[in-house]
């Protein structure tokens, strides 16, 4: 497939578009979480559970706490809510009975796809409008932007609060 002509854009315009998408995504996460009967933190943690399940990797509760930037105590509350809502289950790690693994509940994926499915279909159609080389650039940009964001958030986390005037 040949790429379509794209309108010109400056780096500033691209950054503005990114900012608008992030803002919309934040509001969208609130709506999606509410539709699934969760709060945004629980939805974020559920995303990590799904990611691990799709990769076929076990996810320890402590690892979930680290990924979500939560305390282990806070993750216990998240897991209690995810279990109650039927999205996740806990089981003892067979290699270390002191550790708890978090698994996606059996019917959770189908329930989640009822909400996310139309969005993923639209994004899939959008990506189909790009050549493989353009799609590689998009994927590379998201990967590198995520790394830049992680670095910035780490710096912000270590820094002091801005002074008030």
């Amino acid at each position: 497939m040949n790429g379509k002509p794209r309108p010109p854009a400056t780096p500033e315009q691209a950054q503005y578009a990114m900012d608008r998408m992030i803002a919309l995504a934040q509001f969208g996460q609130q709506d999606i979480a509410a539709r699934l009967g969760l709060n945004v933190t629980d939805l974020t943690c559920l995303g990590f559970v799904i990611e691990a399940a799709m990769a076929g990797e076990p996810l320890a509760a402590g690892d979930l706490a680290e990924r979500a930037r939560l305390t282990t105590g806070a993750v216990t509350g998240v897991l209690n809510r995810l279990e109650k809502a039927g999205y996740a289950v806990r089981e003892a790690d067979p290699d270390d009975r002191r550790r708890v693994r978090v698994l996606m509940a059996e019917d959770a994926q189908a329930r989640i796809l009822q909400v996310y499915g139309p969005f993923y279909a639209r994004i899939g159609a959008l990506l189909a409008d790009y050549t493989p080389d353009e799609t590689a650039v998009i994927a590379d940009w998201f990967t590198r932007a995520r790394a830049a964001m992680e670095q910035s958030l780490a710096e912000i986390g270590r820094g002091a609060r801005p002074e008030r005037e």
Side-chain angles (χ1 to χ4, degrees):
M1 167 184 270
N2 291 331
K4 293 183 177 184
R6 309 287 178 207
T10 65
E12 292 79 14
Q13 289 169 319
Q15 189 165 346
Y16 177 80
M18 178 198 68
D19 286 344
R20 299 292 37 93
M21 186 173 158
I22 289 171
L24 180 61
Q26 288 176 328
F27 290 121
Q29 288 297 90
Q30 293 170 9
D31 294 343
I32 291 167
R35 174 101 181 265
L36 293 171
L38 302 172
N39 64 48
V40 174
T41 299
D42 295 351
L43 180 62
T44 300
C45 289
L46 179 58
F48 291 125
V49 173
I50 293 167
E51 185 179 274
M54 293 181 75
E57 299 172 351
L59 179 64
D63 295 335
L64 177 59
E66 186 176 316
R67 289 180 192 180
R69 302 172 73 179
L70 297 171
T71 65
T72 54
V75 163
T76 298
V78 167
L79 293 176
N80 289 342
R81 292 187 296 275
L82 290 177
E83 279 188 320
K84 184 177 181 183
Y87 292 111
V89 295
R90 287 177 268 204
E91 70 175 26
D93 186 323
D95 297 327
D96 183 348
R97 305 290 287 169
R98 296 168 295 174
R99 291 176 54 129
V100 173
R101 292 193 318 188
V102 184
L103 306 170
M104 191 165 52
E106 205 166 296
D107 71 336
Q109 186 172 2
R111 294 170 50 212
I112 294 162
L113 283 177
Q114 287 177 335
V115 177
Y116 276 103
F119 170 71
Y120 285 134
R122 287 181 184 103
I123 293 298
L126 178 64
L127 287 170
D129 197 35
Y130 291 87
T131 67
D133 286 343
E134 289 173 324
T135 302
V137 169
I138 293 168
D140 176 65
W141 187 89
F142 275 110
T143 300
R144 293 172 62 200
R146 177 182 173 193
M149 183 176 277
E150 286 174 344
Q151 182 180 4
S152 294
L153 290 175
E155 290 167 358
I156 290 167
R158 289 190 303 265
R161 292 183 177 269
E163 291 184 26
R164 292 186 149 199
E165 295 182 15

